Protein backbone atom coordinates (compact mmCIF):
# COMPACT_ATOMS: atom_id res chain seq x y z
CA UNK A 1 0.00 0.00 0.00
CA UNK A 2 0.91 3.64 -0.38
CA UNK A 3 0.72 6.39 2.24
CA UNK A 4 0.29 10.04 1.30
CA UNK A 5 0.56 12.93 3.75
CA UNK A 6 -1.62 16.04 3.40
CA UNK A 7 -0.11 17.73 6.53
CA UNK A 8 -1.60 17.97 10.04
CA UNK A 9 -3.13 14.52 10.79
CA UNK A 10 -4.51 14.00 7.29
CA UNK A 11 -3.28 10.92 5.42
CA UNK A 12 -4.43 8.93 2.42
CA UNK A 13 -3.79 5.21 2.11
CA UNK A 14 -4.12 3.51 -1.26
CA UNK A 15 -4.12 -0.27 -1.04
CA UNK A 16 -2.56 -2.54 -3.65
CA UNK A 17 -6.09 -3.34 -4.86
CA UNK A 18 -6.75 0.38 -5.42
CA UNK A 19 -9.01 1.15 -2.46
CA UNK A 20 -8.56 4.66 -1.10
CA UNK A 21 -8.82 5.36 2.63
CA UNK A 22 -8.67 8.89 3.99
CA UNK A 23 -7.86 9.62 7.61
CA UNK A 24 -8.80 12.93 9.28
CA UNK A 25 -8.97 14.96 6.02
CA UNK A 26 -8.49 18.54 7.26
CA UNK A 27 -7.81 20.41 4.01
CA UNK A 28 -9.86 23.64 3.79
CA UNK A 29 -8.67 26.06 6.47
CA UNK A 30 -5.44 24.11 6.81
CA UNK A 31 -2.74 26.55 5.73
CA UNK A 32 -0.20 23.74 5.18
CA UNK A 33 -2.33 21.49 2.96
CA UNK A 34 -0.75 20.94 -0.48
CA UNK A 35 -4.09 20.01 -2.08
CA UNK A 36 -7.64 21.29 -2.35
CA UNK A 37 -10.55 19.23 -1.08
CA UNK A 38 -12.03 18.96 -4.58
CA UNK A 39 -8.90 17.11 -5.75
CA UNK A 40 -9.65 14.21 -3.40
CA UNK A 41 -12.01 11.27 -3.81
CA UNK A 42 -12.09 8.24 -1.56
CA UNK A 43 -13.76 4.93 -0.79
CA UNK A 44 -13.46 5.18 3.01
CA UNK A 45 -13.03 7.95 5.57
CA UNK A 46 -11.69 7.09 8.99
CA UNK A 47 -12.13 9.77 11.64
CA UNK A 48 -10.28 9.60 14.96
CA UNK A 49 -12.52 12.21 16.61
CA UNK A 50 -14.93 15.04 15.87
CA UNK A 51 -12.73 18.13 16.19
CA UNK A 52 -12.80 20.46 13.19
CA UNK A 53 -9.15 19.85 12.34
CA UNK A 54 -9.93 16.12 11.89
CA UNK A 55 -13.53 16.02 10.62
CA UNK A 56 -12.27 18.66 8.21
CA UNK A 57 -13.60 18.32 4.66
CA UNK A 58 -15.04 14.85 5.20
CA UNK A 59 -18.61 15.73 4.27
CA UNK A 60 -17.62 17.74 1.18
CA UNK A 61 -15.47 14.86 -0.05
CA UNK A 62 -18.13 12.27 0.76
CA UNK A 63 -20.71 14.17 -1.29
CA UNK A 64 -18.62 13.79 -4.47
CA UNK A 65 -18.40 10.00 -4.40
CA UNK A 66 -20.26 7.69 -2.09
CA UNK A 67 -17.89 6.41 0.56
CA UNK A 68 -18.10 4.74 3.93
CA UNK A 69 -17.26 6.48 7.20
CA UNK A 70 -15.55 4.28 9.79
CA UNK A 71 -15.44 5.67 13.30
CA UNK A 72 -16.53 5.15 16.88
CA UNK A 73 -20.28 4.83 17.44
CA UNK A 74 -21.22 8.40 18.42
CA UNK A 75 -19.17 9.95 15.63
CA UNK A 76 -20.47 7.39 13.10
CA UNK A 77 -24.02 8.30 14.14
CA UNK A 78 -23.20 11.97 13.61
CA UNK A 79 -22.00 11.18 10.06
CA UNK A 80 -25.12 9.08 9.42
CA UNK A 81 -27.37 11.87 10.73
CA UNK A 82 -25.76 14.12 8.12
CA UNK A 83 -26.81 11.69 5.41
CA UNK A 84 -23.69 9.58 4.95
CA UNK A 85 -23.01 5.85 5.12
CA UNK A 86 -21.19 4.87 8.28
CA UNK A 87 -19.85 1.75 9.91
CA UNK A 88 -20.14 2.10 13.68
CA UNK A 89 -17.29 0.68 15.74
CA UNK A 90 -15.79 1.38 19.13
CA UNK A 91 -12.55 1.32 21.06
CA UNK A 92 -11.09 -2.16 21.36
CA UNK A 93 -13.17 -3.49 18.48
CA UNK A 94 -11.81 -4.67 15.15
CA UNK A 95 -13.57 -5.47 11.87
CA UNK A 96 -12.45 -6.95 8.56
CA UNK A 97 -13.36 -4.71 5.62
CA UNK A 98 -12.73 -5.62 1.98
CA UNK A 99 -9.42 -3.72 2.03
CA UNK A 100 -8.17 -5.02 5.39
CA UNK A 101 -8.74 -4.74 9.11
CA UNK A 102 -9.55 -1.71 11.26
CA UNK A 103 -9.26 -1.67 15.02
CA UNK A 104 -9.84 1.32 17.26
CA UNK A 105 -7.63 2.12 20.25
CA UNK A 106 -7.91 4.55 23.13
CA UNK A 107 -6.66 8.13 22.84
CA UNK A 108 -6.57 10.65 25.65
CA UNK A 109 -8.35 13.63 24.12
CA UNK A 110 -11.82 15.16 23.64
CA UNK A 111 -14.31 14.82 20.81
CA UNK A 112 -16.90 17.41 19.85
CA UNK A 113 -17.79 18.61 16.36
CA UNK A 114 -17.57 22.23 15.18
CA UNK A 115 -21.38 22.41 15.53
CA UNK A 116 -21.05 21.39 19.19
CA UNK A 117 -22.18 17.76 18.92
CA UNK A 118 -20.53 15.43 21.42
CA UNK A 119 -19.12 12.53 19.42
CA UNK A 120 -17.98 9.97 21.98
CA UNK A 121 -14.44 9.11 22.92
CA UNK A 122 -11.50 10.24 20.85
CA UNK A 123 -9.67 7.29 19.35
CA UNK A 124 -6.59 6.02 17.62
CA UNK A 125 -6.76 3.46 14.84
CA UNK A 126 -4.84 0.42 13.65
CA UNK A 127 -5.15 -0.10 9.92
CA UNK A 128 -3.92 -3.42 8.54
CA UNK A 129 -3.82 -3.96 4.78
CA UNK A 130 -1.48 -5.64 2.30
CA UNK A 131 0.43 -7.24 5.17
CA UNK A 132 1.33 -3.94 6.88
CA UNK A 133 -0.07 -2.30 9.99
CA UNK A 134 -0.28 1.47 10.37
CA UNK A 135 -1.08 2.91 13.80
CA UNK A 136 -2.54 6.44 13.53
CA UNK A 137 -2.73 7.53 17.17
CA UNK A 138 -5.17 10.38 16.58
CA UNK A 139 -4.80 13.34 18.92
CA UNK A 140 -3.59 12.03 22.24
CA UNK A 141 -1.39 12.53 25.22
CA UNK A 142 1.16 9.88 26.07
CA UNK A 143 -0.23 6.74 27.70
CA UNK A 144 1.51 3.62 28.90
CA UNK A 145 -0.93 1.23 27.14
CA UNK A 146 0.90 2.11 23.92
CA UNK A 147 3.27 -0.60 25.13
CA UNK A 148 0.37 -3.08 25.16
CA UNK A 149 -0.75 -1.97 21.70
CA UNK A 150 2.80 -2.60 20.45
CA UNK A 151 2.97 -5.99 22.16
CA UNK A 152 -0.34 -7.15 20.66
CA UNK A 153 0.30 -5.78 17.17
CA UNK A 154 3.38 -5.64 15.01
CA UNK A 155 3.29 -1.97 14.08
CA UNK A 156 5.08 -1.15 10.84
CA UNK A 157 4.33 2.58 10.76
CA UNK A 158 3.27 4.75 13.69
CA UNK A 159 1.80 8.17 12.85
CA UNK A 160 1.85 10.33 15.96
CA UNK A 161 1.47 13.96 17.01
CA UNK A 162 4.47 16.00 18.11
CA UNK A 163 3.01 19.53 18.15
CA UNK A 164 2.47 19.81 21.92
CA UNK A 165 -0.23 21.99 23.55
CA UNK A 166 -3.21 19.81 22.45
CA UNK A 167 -1.30 16.52 22.16
CA UNK A 168 2.05 14.95 22.89
CA UNK A 169 5.06 17.15 22.31
CA UNK A 170 8.36 15.81 21.03
CA UNK A 171 9.66 14.32 24.31
CA UNK A 172 6.42 12.44 25.00
CA UNK A 173 6.17 11.35 21.35
CA UNK A 174 9.67 9.88 21.50
CA UNK A 175 8.62 7.93 24.60
CA UNK A 176 5.51 6.79 22.73
CA UNK A 177 7.72 5.35 19.99
CA UNK A 178 9.78 3.54 22.61
CA UNK A 179 6.58 2.06 24.12
CA UNK A 180 4.74 1.06 20.92
CA UNK A 181 7.94 -0.05 19.18
CA UNK A 182 6.99 0.52 15.52
CA UNK A 183 9.43 -0.11 12.67
CA UNK A 184 9.06 3.49 11.51
CA UNK A 185 7.75 6.60 13.31
CA UNK A 186 6.17 9.41 11.26
CA UNK A 187 5.44 12.72 13.03
CA UNK A 188 2.17 14.60 12.46
CA UNK A 189 0.02 17.39 13.96
CA UNK A 190 2.76 20.05 13.97
CA UNK A 191 3.43 23.44 12.32
CA UNK A 192 -0.13 23.76 11.02
CA UNK A 193 -0.63 26.72 13.34
CA UNK A 194 1.85 28.73 15.46
CA UNK A 195 0.55 27.13 18.67
CA UNK A 196 1.70 23.67 17.55
CA UNK A 197 5.09 24.63 16.13
CA UNK A 198 7.62 21.82 16.48
CA UNK A 199 10.73 20.69 14.64
CA UNK A 200 10.05 17.24 13.08
CA UNK A 201 13.77 16.74 12.49
CA UNK A 202 14.41 17.11 16.23
CA UNK A 203 11.86 14.31 16.77
CA UNK A 204 13.47 12.21 14.02
CA UNK A 205 16.95 12.67 15.57
CA UNK A 206 15.73 11.60 19.01
CA UNK A 207 13.99 8.53 17.54
CA UNK A 208 17.15 7.62 15.64
CA UNK A 209 19.19 8.06 18.83
CA UNK A 210 17.09 5.17 20.22
CA UNK A 211 18.15 3.08 17.22
CA UNK A 212 14.76 3.32 15.53
CA UNK A 213 13.67 4.65 12.13
CA UNK A 214 11.74 7.85 11.48
CA UNK A 215 10.53 9.46 8.28
CA UNK A 216 9.53 13.14 8.13
CA UNK A 217 7.04 13.19 5.27
CA UNK A 218 6.83 16.26 3.07
CA UNK A 219 3.39 17.80 2.63
CA UNK A 220 1.91 16.01 -0.38
CA UNK A 221 4.55 13.27 -0.41
CA UNK A 222 3.49 9.67 -1.05
CA UNK A 223 5.58 6.71 0.07
CA UNK A 224 5.32 3.00 -0.62
CA UNK A 225 4.89 1.03 2.60
NI1 LIG B 1 -8.41 17.18 18.52
MN1 LIG C 1 -6.19 18.03 16.40
Amino acid sequence: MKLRYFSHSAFQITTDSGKVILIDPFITGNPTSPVKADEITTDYIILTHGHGDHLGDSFTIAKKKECLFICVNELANYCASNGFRAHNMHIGGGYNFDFGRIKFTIAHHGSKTPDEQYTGEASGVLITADGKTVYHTGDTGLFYDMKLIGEMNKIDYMLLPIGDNFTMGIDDAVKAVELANPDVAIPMHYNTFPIIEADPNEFKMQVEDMGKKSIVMEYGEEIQL
Side-chain angles (χ1 to χ4, degrees), residues 8-9 49 51 53-54 109 139 166-167 189:
H8 205 60
S9 299
H49 62 294
H51 287 162
D53 60 318
H54 297 260
H109 198 68
D139 280 2
F166 301 111
T167 67
H189 211 274

Side-chain angles (χ1 to χ4, degrees), residues 1 13 15 21 46 95-103 125-135 153-156:
M1 62 176 152
I13 285 172
T15 66
I21 305 151
I46 298 171
Y95 187 82
N96 295 325
F97 293 86
D98 62 353
F99 62 84
R101 184 169 176 82
I102 296 295
K103 184 175 182 182
V125 64
L126 292 157
I127 303 157
T128 303
D130 303 329
K132 294 269 161 55
T133 295
V134 175
Y135 174 28
N153 305 274
K154 190 200 165 296
I155 300 164
D156 295 287

